[in-house]
Amino acid sequence: LAIVSPESGEGRSYVAANLAVAFSQLGRSTLLIDADLRKPSQHTIFGFTRRIGLSTMLTGRIRLKDLEYLPDSFPSFNQLAVFGCGAVPPNPAELLGSGTLPLMLRELVKYFEFIIVDTPPAIFQGDVVSIASAAGSALMVAKRDQTRITHLKNLRYILSQSGVNVVGSVLNKF
């Protein structure tokens, strides 16, 4: 499930983190992937500093078979793993569009019941479409008194044209 929003500052990363924590607290093995290769934030939310992450995987410096050992785990949430962004690359759109992400997600499904993917804002349309297409479904996030309904409608249209199932939306107050 890709967590998407039209612009930055709408709470997409916090919704992704909280949703992942909620699934893990239900006893479901959950992976949160920080796929915002432009301005990642899950490492800040969860307080880890590992430099190996999604960007490392997409550049081919680590192999698909090593995936089960890479996500960070947290003792207080024993069913939660977080796969950070890694180093911010100079070419995010190219990496996300390379075809490696769908392969990676198909491999990760073997280890986790739920996979939540934090995305960059939809102003980086190519990034969001690549990620949401690989995930297959998306949850849209809007911030009260900030997000314009026309931007949400445009995002929904772009995603549906790309074959992404938009499963719903969240109105974020913070």
Side-chain angles (χ1 to χ4, degrees):
L1 177 65
I3 309 301
V4 301
S5 71
E7 297 182 26
S8 60
E10 294 171 317
R12 180 182 58 260
S13 296
Y14 285 104
V15 168
N18 282 300
L19 190 58
V21 166
F23 281 134
S24 73
Q25 288 178 328
L26 291 172
R28 305 300 196 131
S29 60
T30 305
L31 174 65
L32 173 60
I33 300 173
D34 193 345
D36 186 346
L37 300 185
R38 296 173 186 275
K39 191 177 177 188
S41 60
Q42 294 303 331
H43 66 285
T44 303
I45 294 170
F46 286 96
F48 63 89
T49 57
R50 184 184 240 179
R51 298 287 295 169
I52 296 172
L54 181 62
S55 63
T56 316
M57 173 64 66
L58 296 176
T59 57
R61 289 184 280 161
I62 48 179
R63 300 168 297 186
L64 282 173
K65 70 178 190 171
D66 298 325
L67 275 174
E68 67 180 295
Y69 305 108
L70 292 175
D72 286 286
S73 56
F74 302 91
S76 36
F77 304 110
N78 63 358
Q79 294 293 318
L80 176 65
V82 180
F83 193 43
C85 165
V88 175
N91 55 344
E94 181 182 329
L95 290 177
L96 291 167
S98 70
T100 305
L101 184 60
L103 296 172
M104 186 181 107
L105 290 176
R106 279 195 294 267
E107 185 68 22
L108 287 167
V109 165
K110 297 175 185 175
Y111 306 103
F112 297 97
E113 291 178 77
F114 293 100
I115 299 175
I116 309 295
V117 186
D118 185 14
T119 69
I123 55 173
F124 301 105
Q125 183 177 329
D127 294 10
V128 172
V129 169
S130 293
I131 297 164
S133 295
S137 58
L139 177 69
M140 296 192 320
V141 175
K143 185 173 182 183
R144 189 176 108 187
D145 298 328
Q146 179 177 326
T147 305
R148 295 185 174 184
I149 194 73
T150 55
H151 293 171
L152 275 176
K153 286 180 180 179
N154 289 340
L155 177 56
R156 180 173 171 74
Y157 176 77
I158 290 165
L159 292 172
S160 65
Q161 290 298 304
S162 301
V164 177
N165 179 28
V166 177
V167 297
S169 59
V170 173
L171 180 61
N172 189 16
K173 181 177 164 180
F174 301 100

